[in-house]
Amino acid sequence: MSASYPLSDHRSLRSSWQSFFYREEVPFSLALLRILLPLVLLIVVVPRWIHSRELYSTDGAAAPLALNYGWPDFFPEPNGTVAVALVSVLAVTLLMSAAGWWTRTSLLLSAGLFGYLNMLDCLSSITKYSVISTHFLVLLGLSNCGAIWSVDSLLRPSSLPRRRVFGVETRMPVAVVWPRRLIQLLIGLIYFGAATTKLQTEAYFTSDQLRWWMMTNVNRANPMGEWLSAYPSILIAMAYAAIVWQIIFVFISWRGIGRLFALGFGATFHFSTAPLLGIYVFPMVMISSYVSFFDEKDMLRIGRWARGLGLDQWLTRPVHIPKWAASSLAYVTVLLVTSAVGVAAEYVIDPYGERRPEGKYPLPVLEAGFFERIPREPEAIRETDKYHTVTIGTDLLGGVMMNLRNQFKRDERFLVQVSLTLLHGDQWIECNLLDPEGRLVQQVGQVVPRERLRAEWQFKVPPTLPTGTYSITVRSGGQEIACRPVEIH
Amino acid sequence: MRRWLSQSFIALYLGILAFGIGSHGFKYCDSCHPGMYLVVWDMFCGWSTWEQRLHVIGEGESGTYYRLAPGPWGDYQPYSNLSRHHYDNFGSHTGRLAANCLKHTDHEPMRRVFVVEESWNKKFNLPPSLNPNVVPVNDEKFTYLYLRDELKPDGTPIVRRAPWHQLQMTRSISENPRLHAQARHGTPVMLADGAANQVAEVPH
């Protein structure tokens, strides 16, 4: 009896591994990801094409990521013509991946080219979403995602037994599920890693990181983020919710209500990064990848819904693909022609303008007076620039002011909070309550060390104080930084 | 054979992902190789309360100053309406950007290239219509211009100074007279490859 336990456990572990990684299913979800992801990536690749020479070649200003790591010659840089050809081929292999023509080759070529070119430009090409996309492209390339909804599937009619899919008798190939599992695990581990970053960033939990990030203008416009930056207590709640979700995602996203929550929260999280932070491609990549969490049954359920909308007729419409498309010669020819056309088109467009009749572009002269404005000695930070806001309210949540107001009854307590910016040094800050005539009623102060970004004072309005419009003044470095009215009634 | 290959790949792939997570979590070898960028998920780890822009300026022999980035042939704005060179936070690639601009344009002989950092408090990015209870301190925008690097026209550094942010951080600490006195005992000097006699880290 005792000897049978290890054997039983061993079998159980093995069978769990087998069913987790080697169950067979029709690769609906990976086929859908194969269609969506390359189309999303084309949004960034196509605008880069005309700048290929400048971004990725020895005839431009490539900015290899490896240089930042101290490996200057890690990847060879192509010359201008080759760079243009590579970007042209990348664009067409992404299109071919979405169409599912020579799917595996197209996906692996896309992954290689996309990864390589991005590594050559850390200023404007490589980001974490491009790395994540490269992982996805590799894993899709190893999967059988081209077996359905692809040119390949039309070129090579299957001899598999018929199955009923979308209400239509069809031959649907099945494939082992491990590439989809690796994509799921990758997504979960990305979130886990992102949560690790947040755990190492103290300012994430005080809302400071998120708040200043929302005020940053290096991504696209984010008016909702700028507005929300005025409510740090909401940001703290959002920050805690996001990190809990990121940590548990990999554990709960596999089935049932856990999956519904993980994906639902994730979709909301990623969608909200567009208006809050001005990030658009990252959410499109991540939300596209969520289809990998749908198995064959889920996709059939979605298919029934699609059939209700009449989409099945469009999906199952017969498409004629010429037989020559199945040959590798045709595929290679398309790649060669694309690169040749790309190179020729770029030559004609002449991005640097070197073959213009009037010759090279002249350099634009710097605006008059700009250089003279640069001080010989770096200026010290102005006292007012060390401060962000002065807020008045009654309660703190997670160390930030909430319940903001400036009307108080006599005998009521209220708080004044000063929010500082980085680089403020060690400060002595005074906070004064002045009466309507500007006479000092209360004066308090404290030392705020350089690492702190907030300071608070509590005031209790004396019951004997006459009603009126008082003011709170904050002084630092011998000058008044801010003055805020306070109504006592 | 096929099964064995796939199992090996699964184990290898998950092992690499686990190494990336562990490396990042324990700060071990997380930036020891460019490949680590592919397995370390440190999204948005950096943050600041200051907005930064870079100006790449060439000084012609006539004393005229020229703007070298973006190139006059057309701007590439990867993530917003900001030109590519503004994303070179460490200034590692600015020399090459300048040299490329000079290579592909018509211009008088150049004496030097300057990299100027412009910084301002991010509170000035906020619209005035924000919550009236959270009015930022001081509404007048002020930008700090700082001459960070001087380069040869081919992009080789002549003088590289500390970034503005680091400079101000150092200043805020060195306001302490005791630290200031101790720091004066050691002046940091950095000699760069291939330009040993020309490149020096300028102390502040």
Side-chain angles (χ1 to χ4, degrees):
Chain A
M1 190 72 179
S2 59
S4 68
Y5 275 114
L7 188 64
S8 165
D9 282 350
H10 177 70
R11 266 197 209 129
S12 164
L13 190 66
R14 186 178 175 140
S15 65
S16 298
W17 170 276
Q18 291 294 335
S19 74
F20 185 75
F21 283 115
Y22 288 96
R23 189 162 57 80
E24 292 192 330
E25 64 174 16
V26 181
F28 290 121
S29 54
L30 291 195
L32 191 54
L33 179 56
R34 184 209 80 221
I35 295 166
L36 292 175
L37 181 68
L39 295 179
V40 169
L41 297 183
L42 279 168
I43 296 173
V44 292
V45 169
V46 169
R48 285 179 198 165
W49 175 81
I50 192 61
H51 302 281
S52 328
R53 184 177 292 270
E54 186 181 354
L55 304 184
Y56 306 118
S57 84
T58 50
D59 190 29
L65 177 79
L67 185 70
N68 298 355
Y69 284 79
W71 295 62
D73 302 316
F74 186 68
F75 275 121
E77 287 175 28
N79 64 30
T81 307
V82 173
V84 175
L86 291 179
V87 178
S88 308
V89 169
L90 170 62
V92 84
T93 53
L94 285 171
L95 263 179
M96 288 171 171
S97 303
W101 187 36
W102 282 83
T103 313
R104 195 183 298 274
T105 314
S106 297
L107 282 164
L108 292 175
L109 260 177
S110 300
L113 288 174
F114 191 60
Y116 167 61
L117 292 167
N118 285 333
M119 289 293 270
L120 292 179
D121 178 30
C122 69
L123 300 184
S124 53
S125 297
I126 200 161
T127 65
K128 285 300 176 188
Y129 80 69
S130 53
V131 171
I132 293 167
S133 303
T134 308
H135 277 264
F136 289 155
L137 289 171
V138 170
L139 293 172
L140 285 172
L142 297 175
S143 77
N144 204 17
C145 63
I148 58 166
W149 300 338
S150 64
V151 173
D152 288 346
S153 66
L154 295 170
L155 287 170
R156 301 182 188 88
S158 174
S159 57
L160 291 165
R162 284 180 172 277
R163 300 175 63 165
R164 194 171 175 79
V165 177
F166 296 151
V168 179
E169 285 287 330
T170 185
R171 298 176 198 279
M172 292 303 249
V174 291
V176 284
V177 76
W178 67 261
R180 184 165 76 81
R181 292 292 187 221
L182 289 186
I183 289 177
Q184 290 173 292
L185 283 166
L186 171 65
I187 296 168
L189 291 174
I190 288 167
Y191 288 142
F192 196 83
T196 309
T197 308
K198 292 176 175 67
L199 286 170
Q200 293 170 344
T201 312
E202 190 189 346
Y204 175 77
F205 297 96
T206 60
S207 82
D208 290 321
Q209 187 202 27
L210 275 171
R211 192 160 59 111
W212 291 100
W213 191 5
M214 288 172 172
M215 291 156 60
T216 305
N217 288 347
V218 295
N219 292 314
R220 304 206 182 277
N222 59 328
M224 197 183 288
E226 289 178 346
W227 172 79
L228 197 59
S229 70
Y231 301 93
S233 52
I234 298 174
L235 296 183
I236 288 179
M238 287 168 62
Y240 276 98
I243 197 169
V244 169
W245 162 74
Q246 288 194 321
I247 290 171
I248 64 175
F249 185 96
V250 72
F251 305 107
I252 66 164
S253 59
W254 302 98
R255 63 166 77 99
I257 194 80
R259 183 178 66 167
L260 191 68
F261 167 76
L263 299 186
F265 191 104
T268 311
F269 171 84
H270 286 296
F271 270 126
S272 64
T273 58
L276 293 180
L277 300 171
I279 297 171
Y280 289 88
V281 181
F282 203 136
M284 284 194 265
V285 168
M286 294 310 292
I287 292 171
S288 302
S289 73
Y290 280 8
V291 297
S292 65
F293 285 90
F294 299 134
D295 62 16
E296 183 185 292
K297 281 183 189 166
D298 299 314
M299 293 302 284
L300 288 173
R301 216 172 288 140
I302 294 168
R304 276 197 292 276
W305 169 78
R307 192 157 54 114
L309 296 175
L311 292 177
D312 59 318
Q313 290 170 7
W314 183 78
L315 285 170
T316 54
R317 197 171 51 181
V319 180
H320 173 70
I321 305 287
K323 289 281 179 215
W324 58 260
S327 82
S328 56
L329 184 64
Y331 182 76
V332 173
T333 305
V334 168
L335 293 186
L336 290 175
V337 168
T338 303
S339 58
V341 169
V343 168
E346 197 257 0
Y347 182 84
V348 172
I349 293 170
D350 184 18
Y352 286 136
E354 291 181 314
R355 292 180 290 281
R356 300 184 313 155
E358 56 271 49
K360 290 179 177 179
Y361 284 101
L363 278 179
V365 176
L366 189 70
E367 305 88 90
F370 182 89
F371 201 82
E372 289 69 29
R373 273 179 52 209
I374 304 166
R376 288 183 178 276
E377 281 298 312
E379 293 164 292
I381 295 177
R382 294 187 312 170
E383 205 62 25
T384 49
D385 281 343
K386 296 175 183 172
Y387 294 85
H388 178 221
T389 54
V390 175
T391 48
I392 302 169
T394 55
D395 300 292
L396 294 177
L397 175 72
V400 299
M401 188 72 83
M402 58 181 289
N403 194 22
L404 300 174
R405 60 192 172 98
N406 66 349
Q407 294 185 339
F408 304 97
K409 293 176 191 159
R410 279 180 288 186
D411 212 21
E412 192 178 359
R413 290 173 192 276
F414 68 92
L415 293 165
V416 177
Q417 184 170 59
V418 172
S419 164
L420 294 97
T421 58
L422 291 173
L423 308 178
H424 64 70
D426 298 334
Q427 300 284 125
W428 167 257
I429 309 176
E430 267 176 38
C431 187
N432 305 321
L433 176 65
L434 307 181
D435 71 8
E437 279 75 45
R439 289 174 303 216
L440 189 65
V441 178
Q442 283 186 32
Q443 181 177 41
V444 283
Q446 62 176 292
V447 171
V448 181
R450 64 184 73 109
E451 67 275 12
R452 270 183 61 194
L453 291 179
R454 287 196 184 83
E456 299 87 29
W457 295 268
Q458 182 172 258
F459 288 86
K460 186 170 188 301
V461 182
T464 53
L465 214 59
T467 58
T469 303
Y470 288 69
S471 53
I472 287 288
T473 62
V474 174
R475 294 180 62 81
S476 168
Q479 60 177 286
E480 185 175 296
I481 300 300
C483 180
R484 300 280 181 266
V486 176
E487 298 281 343
I488 307 290
H489 57 89
Chain B
M1 181 63 179
R2 207 177 159 85
R3 175 65 64 97
W4 182 86
L5 273 175
S6 66
Q7 286 186 341
S8 303
F9 179 81
I10 293 168
L12 180 70
Y13 188 71
L14 292 179
I16 290 170
L17 291 183
F19 178 73
I21 297 277
S23 161
H24 178 45
F26 296 109
K27 295 279 172 210
Y28 169 72
C29 194
D30 55 343
S31 54
C32 63
H33 188 273
M36 294 306 290
Y37 190 83
L38 308 181
V39 291
V40 168
W41 311 111
D42 58 348
M43 279 81 93
F44 318 116
C45 54
W47 69 285
S48 173
T49 55
W50 297 85
E51 193 85 40
Q52 184 210 53
R53 299 287 183 271
L54 288 180
H55 301 275
V56 188
I57 298 165
E59 182 191 28
E61 285 190 349
S62 67
T64 309
Y65 294 103
Y66 301 93
R67 197 168 277 285
L68 303 186
W73 51 79
D75 198 3
Y76 178 54
Q77 300 173 335
Y79 307 114
S80 67
N81 57 355
L82 271 189
S83 305
R84 179 178 180 236
H85 65 279
H86 291 300
Y87 295 91
D88 188 13
N89 294 326
F90 303 112
S92 317
H93 307 278
T94 316
R96 190 155 174 197
L97 287 165
N100 184 52
C101 181
L102 292 173
K103 178 181 169 189
H104 294 289
T105 48
D106 185 23
H107 55 83
E108 62 170 309
M110 287 286 146
R111 266 193 217 141
R112 280 177 299 178
V113 172
F114 300 102
V115 180
V116 176
E117 212 175 317
E118 182 180 8
S119 308
W120 66 88
N121 192 314
K122 283 182 188 171
K123 68 183 175 185
F124 297 117
N125 291 345
L126 293 176
S129 56
L130 220 66
N131 182 345
N133 287 326
V134 198
V135 184
V137 170
N138 193 329
D139 289 327
E140 275 180 53
K141 182 177 175 180
F142 185 83
T143 63
Y144 297 85
L145 292 174
Y146 168 58
L147 183 59
R148 180 160 135 184
D149 299 336
E150 291 175 39
L151 316 167
K152 288 182 180 176
D154 66 357
T156 311
I158 302 168
V159 177
R160 296 201 72 173
R161 298 181 175 86
W164 183 84
H165 199 273
Q166 191 185 326
L167 166 82
Q168 296 294 351
M169 177 69 78
T170 310
R171 273 186 170 180
S172 73
I173 295 168
S174 63
E175 280 171 1
N176 178 332
R178 180 179 55 80
L179 277 178
H180 195 62
Q182 288 174 355
R184 267 192 306 196
H185 286 293
T187 301
V189 173
M190 181 196 79
L191 297 178
D193 292 342
N197 297 322
Q198 296 147 346
V199 183
E201 182 87 352
V202 175
H204 293 285

